Amino acid sequence: MAITDAEDVQSTKPNPGTPRVQYLDARLVDQIAAGEIIDRPASLLKELLENSLDSGADRIDIDAEGGGVKRIRVQDNGCGIEADDLHLALSRHATSKLSELDQLERISSLGFRGEALPSISSVSRLVLTSRSADAGHGWQVRGAADGSLSTPAPAAHAFGTTVEVTDLFYNTPARRKFLRTETTELQHLDRVVRRLALSHFEVAFRFAHNRKATLEFACASDAAARQRRLAAICGDAFAGGSAAIDTAASGMRLHGWLGLPTFSRSQRDMQYFFVNGRAVRDASVAHAVRRAYDDVLYHGRHPAFVLFLEIDPRGVDVNVHPGKHEVRFRDARSVHDFLFHGIQRQIASGQNAVVAAPGAALAGTTPTYPEAQQHGLRLGTVREQVHAYRDLHPADGAATAVSDQARTEAGPLGFALAQLKGVYILAENSDGLILVDIHAAHERTTYENLKQQLQGDAVAVQPLLVPVSLVVSEAEAELAMRYADEFKRFGFEIERLGVANLIVRSVPALLACSDVATLIRDVLADLNEHGQSGRMQHAINELLSSIACHGSVRANRHLTIPEMNALLREMEHTDRSDQCNHGRPTWRQISMAELDKWFMRGQ
Ligand code: ADP
Ligand code: MG
């Protein structure tokens, strides 16, 4: 039987049309690789700029035409390429950045795969001109349409390298069809330049499109210059509406700028995250940041940030994506936790209104943002003002010779004068006038109080008369048991029944009427994915937030002066009291200087 079957099979095969296995032609290999890394002019520009940055250049000039499809030229003043190496640089798998396997585990350059230049040259017309430090003049090679390279010819060139790419995708019509309008491609080019300029302050960039310079960044070597570049790239509103962060722990450092909750966005369009100078997208990073902002952003709003994570290159695998947009952290959990705690602490500390350049915090100075002050915005948080106030009014009595007892006891938010239209408190402090949104302020202080109580005491537990049973995966059931204590802390008593069944016997009283099964499922999914979950806390916080909102002073209720003062004092002692739960500011200062300007006093 078996023999007959085999004969049957043989009788139908081989058929003469069966293709044979063979090696791909080198040119085709390059074109296939190009498909992975070069999908539009912007990705080509990214590769060229990364090469220039790797070459140690501190000035890079970019000229583009026709959205980059017609022409992109990148010129740098970096180390250059030796004449003998020009052909190699344009050959596949040739790189000067990597020679042994163990180097792959601690890459500090942006490139290492040795495939960008040959890929680009296989889908465009490429001219490479370069002059290395010890060469008397430059040398040039050109790629021909058939994939061959010209012999290097002498060319006039300053120290450094110029790569000129014209007619992108001229020989790959399928790719060309995917190109968008000139304006769209230009937008993508612009974004690439901005992103790299943000991650390399020490390098000067100039970008011109159709011979018109659109971006120009001088080399930014001090904090003020970095602040200017930040404003040029992300806009004045972000520069003025963000706080510097600089924190380090377990061998990692996180620095950059965090947008204030009041500067939230409807899109994720202002989120820059760099790992060792490389812009990356990473789900667990995104999760950590989102969670850190969880409590201060209104649902559906997105935070803005420019963050740099510095980490031992051995702790991050950059070789997971041909375009190098993604990385893999060896210890993703500790990266996640470091980011989450660092950012959350910064936001909670209320230092959010102080704008300082990264590094300034390390140097012990926190310069405030002069432009914002000019506009009459008194930056600085309640906490900061508490300190400033204490410095100004030491407790020795001499400095507190104010007649009114209430005044001597007033904190940085001053003492209440009146209530305006049932909505605002008008208060006076040493700087001038303070306006407080009563409902917003009360909502935040109530909410924080509720949370505080919850942290201090055991959560009120509601045993379930009919326990909720849910079917989960085996891995999730194990997770539920591993985190049983965590669950218990929040009031969930969970038992495992069989391989993949869970029984929930009690829930936090606060969540007694919510969809417990869904919540627990979501929490387990988070734990599975990220090793931690903020969902229980989040669900409880949401609830507290809505209790706080509904329980807070509504507009038009008359408050007595002592009640208003009590609220002011409460705000001074409450975390995050500068914004309400939805990210709106709770108070504003109008300085005497500002008032004087309105009335042209002293002019
Ligand atoms: P990779 O960057 O991964 O090494 P590329 O194909 O982008 O691969 O570049 C190949 C090689 O060409 C680089 O390793 C480098 O030695 C050289 N090279 C490319 N661009 C430049 C430049 N602007 N300045 C100096 N050397 C360059
Ligand atoms: Mg490269």
Side-chain angles (χ1 to χ4, degrees), residues 38 49 104 126 128 143 149 173 200 224 245 261 280 290 318 364 372 384 412 433 449 454 480 493 519 524 550-551 560:
I38 311 297
L49 291 180
L104 188 55
L126 183 146
L128 169 62
L149 299 172
H200 290 82
I245 177 171
V280 296
R290 202 176 49 239
V318 291
E384 258 199 327
L433 180 67
N449 274 341
L454 207 72
E493 212 173 306
L519 176 62
L524 289 174
H550 298 301
T560 63

Side-chain angles (χ1 to χ4, degrees), residues 47 51 97 111 116:
E47 292 293 337
N51 281 346
K97 301 166 193 173

Side-chain angles (χ1 to χ4, degrees), residues 131-150:
R131 178 175 170 191
S132 61
D134 46 8
H137 56 77
W139 292 89
Q140 185 171 79
V141 280
R142 292 168 174 273
D146 63 358
S148 66
L149 299 172
S150 69

Side-chain angles (χ1 to χ4, degrees), residues 384-394 399:
E384 258 199 327
Q385 294 210 10
V386 171
H387 292 297
Y389 188 85
R390 283 207 193 110
D391 292 347
L392 276 173
H393 303 274

Side-chain angles (χ1 to χ4, degrees), residues 128-197:
L128 169 62
T129 317
S130 192
R131 178 175 170 191
S132 61
D134 46 8
H137 56 77
W139 292 89
Q140 185 171 79
V141 280
R142 292 168 174 273
D146 63 358
S148 66
L149 299 172
S150 69
T151 11
H157 199 276
F159 291 115
T161 304
T162 300
V163 180
E164 182 163 36
V165 178
T166 40
D167 300 331
L168 181 62
F169 300 142
Y170 78 96
N171 54 355
T172 48
R175 270 282 165 195
R176 213 168 42 222
K177 282 203 201 101
F178 284 95
L179 289 171
R180 311 295 288 273
T181 63
E182 176 171 327
T183 319
T184 305
E185 296 301 341
L186 172 60
Q187 272 169 4
H188 286 276
L189 294 177
D190 179 86
R191 230 172 276 162
V192 165
V193 179
R194 283 172 193 267
R195 202 159 50 221
L196 283 161

